[in-house]
């Protein structure tokens, strides 16, 4: 079963056709830089170009960097504020003429890791973090998603944690992983003290460099790098769209 998975990120809009049974990418991924400003029209047009690239005419799952409820975008931390209140799912459907499931990007990545990656078979409380332009979170209890958690925005030292500790901030400031890791470690300490997770999975752009910063982390909780790395968002979005179609059938 193949579904087109899309991942709308702060720096790129990526897509690939995904085999939802094993999470394999059936095609190489296609990426177009995210337009700035990241307005609804500009993003939807760019996403439609990614869809066209594949000549795709089936269902689409699309991870999006905001709270999404019933297709509607409710937050805009790293995108244009013009998104707030917009029915994003409908806009993507109109632009592509295809059925689209829109969901939070970290939730999508978490779904992929729980089904096919580092969280496979794991019960208890699992927190997936996507460390990229922002900090995305997906929370699972016994494998079941608690959707739309926004725990990247807890306050640390009077500031939004994402602004202090995301990979985007690290790159913008030109920090090495060694220089950034204490801030990220502090974030992990805080979030662990609030939730007491059994496992934290680190995904997003920073996951490819996990080995470079893992040794600086002192938090006493099991931590695993995402196995599907930065592709997890596309894969999980495709899985979620497939499962929605299966429920509706
Ligand atoms: C947004 C989240 C998103 C995360 C990762 C945050 O700024 O508030 O909704 O999941 O970035 O893209």
């Amino acid at each position: 079963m193949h579904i087109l998975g899309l991942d709308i990120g702060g720096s790129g809009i990526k897509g690939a056709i995904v085999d939802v049974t094993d999470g394999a990418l059936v095609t190489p991924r296609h990426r177009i830089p995210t337009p700035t400003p990241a307005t609804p029209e500009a993003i939807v047009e760019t996403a439609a170009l990614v869809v066209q690239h594949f000549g795709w005419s089936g269902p689409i799952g699309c991870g999006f960097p905001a709270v999404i409820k019933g297709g509607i975008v409710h937050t805009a931390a790293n995108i244009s504020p013009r998104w707030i209140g917009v029915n994003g799912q409908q806009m993507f459907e109109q632009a592509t003429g295809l059925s689209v499931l829109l969901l939070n990007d970290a939730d999508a990545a978490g779904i992929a890791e729980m089904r096919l990656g580092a969280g496979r078979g794991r019960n208890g409380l699992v927190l997936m973090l996507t460390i990229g332009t922002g900090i995305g979170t997906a929370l699972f209890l016994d494998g079941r998603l608690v959707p739309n958690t926004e725990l990247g925005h807890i306050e640390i030292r009077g500031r939004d944690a994402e602004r202090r500790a995301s990979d985007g901030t690290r790159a913008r400031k030109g920090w090495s992983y060694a220089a950034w890791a204490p801030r990220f470690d502090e974030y992990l300490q805080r979030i662990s003290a609030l939730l007491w997770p059994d496992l934290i999975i680190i995904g997003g752009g920073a996951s490819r460099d996990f080995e470079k910063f893992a040794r600086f982390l002192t938090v006493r909780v099991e931590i695993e790098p995402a196995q599907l790395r930065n592709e997890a968002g596309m894969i999980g979005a495709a899985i979620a769209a497939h499962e929605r179609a299966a429920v509706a059938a």
Side-chain angles (χ1 to χ4, degrees), residues 8-10 64-67 75-78 104-107 130 133-137 149-150 153 162:
I8 313 284
F64 193 86
V67 168
T75 58
N78 289 303
N104 173 262
D105 56 350
D107 284 355
T130 62
T133 311
I135 297 182
T137 60
T149 55
E150 286 287 327
H153 298 295
E162 161 175 296

Side-chain angles (χ1 to χ4, degrees), residues 20 38-39 45 51-52 73 76 84 92 165 170 196 204 229 232:
V20 291
T39 58
E45 262 171 45
V51 175
Q52 268 167 35
V73 177
I84 292 180
F92 283 101
R170 184 191 67 76
W196 288 88
R229 300 285 157 126

Side-chain angles (χ1 to χ4, degrees), residues 196-216:
W196 288 88
D198 298 297
L199 169 66
I200 296 182
I201 303 172
I202 313 268
S207 62
R208 74 173 86 86
D209 289 327
F210 182 74
E211 291 72 24
K212 293 190 189 155
F213 61 82
R215 65 198 147 103
F216 300 116

Side-chain angles (χ1 to χ4, degrees), residues 6 11 14 19 22 27 43 46 60 73 83 113 115 122 128 142-143 172 182 193 203 208 211 219 225 230 235:
L6 289 179
S11 62
K14 297 178 294 186
D19 183 335
D22 60 3
T27 60
I43 290 216
T46 310
I60 296 172
V73 177
W83 274 101
E113 287 296 329
R115 300 293 156 76
R122 293 292 299 250
M128 165 91 189
D142 295 337
R172 243 189 341 270
R208 74 173 86 86
E211 291 72 24
V219 64
N230 213 8
I235 297 170

Side-chain angles (χ1 to χ4, degrees), residues 37-248:
T39 58
E41 296 74 21
I43 290 216
V44 165
E45 262 171 45
T46 310
L49 291 177
V50 176
V51 175
Q52 268 167 35
H53 165 86
F54 293 104
W56 183 249
S57 60
I60 296 172
C62 180
F64 193 86
V67 168
I68 309 289
K69 284 168 96 79
I72 298 183
V73 177
H74 287 278
T75 58
N78 289 303
I79 50 176
S80 156
R82 286 192 36 223
W83 274 101
I84 292 180
V86 166
N87 190 327
Q89 185 164 290
Q90 211 170 55
M91 276 191 81
F92 283 101
E93 290 194 325
Q94 279 161 0
T96 57
L98 301 171
S99 148
V100 176
L101 174 69
L102 197 66
L103 74 164
N104 173 262
D105 56 350
D107 284 355
I111 289 170
E113 287 296 329
M114 292 306 287
R115 300 293 156 76
L116 304 163
R120 194 173 187 161
R122 293 292 299 250
N123 280 326
L125 197 71
V126 179
L127 178 67
M128 165 91 189
L129 297 177
T130 62
I131 313 299
T133 311
I135 297 182
T137 60
L139 190 63
F140 294 83
L141 180 60
D142 295 337
R144 193 143 178 241
L145 173 69
V146 179
N148 287 312
T149 55
E150 286 287 327
L151 301 168
H153 298 295
I154 62 167
E155 197 179 300
I156 296 188
R157 298 181 192 263
R159 290 188 62 206
D160 185 350
E162 161 175 296
R163 295 266 161 264
R164 284 179 51 81
S166 73
D167 195 46
T169 300
R170 184 191 67 76
R172 243 189 341 270
K173 304 258 186 188
W175 291 333
S176 65
Y177 280 111
W180 163 82
R183 287 175 172 238
F184 183 53
D185 194 40
E186 183 180 30
Y187 174 71
L188 293 176
Q189 306 267 11
R190 288 292 300 278
I191 207 77
S192 301
L194 293 169
L195 290 176
W196 288 88
D198 298 297
L199 169 66
I200 296 182
I201 303 172
I202 313 268
S207 62
R208 74 173 86 86
D209 289 327
F210 182 74
E211 291 72 24
K212 293 190 189 155
F213 61 82
R215 65 198 147 103
F216 300 116
L217 304 180
T218 64
V219 64
R220 283 170 50 215
V221 57
E222 185 185 354
I223 297 185
E224 293 286 342
Q227 286 173 7
L228 306 166
R229 300 285 157 126
N230 213 8
E231 327 273 61
M234 290 182 294
I235 297 170
I239 293 174
H242 174 61
E243 288 179 357
R244 180 184 68 163
V247 169

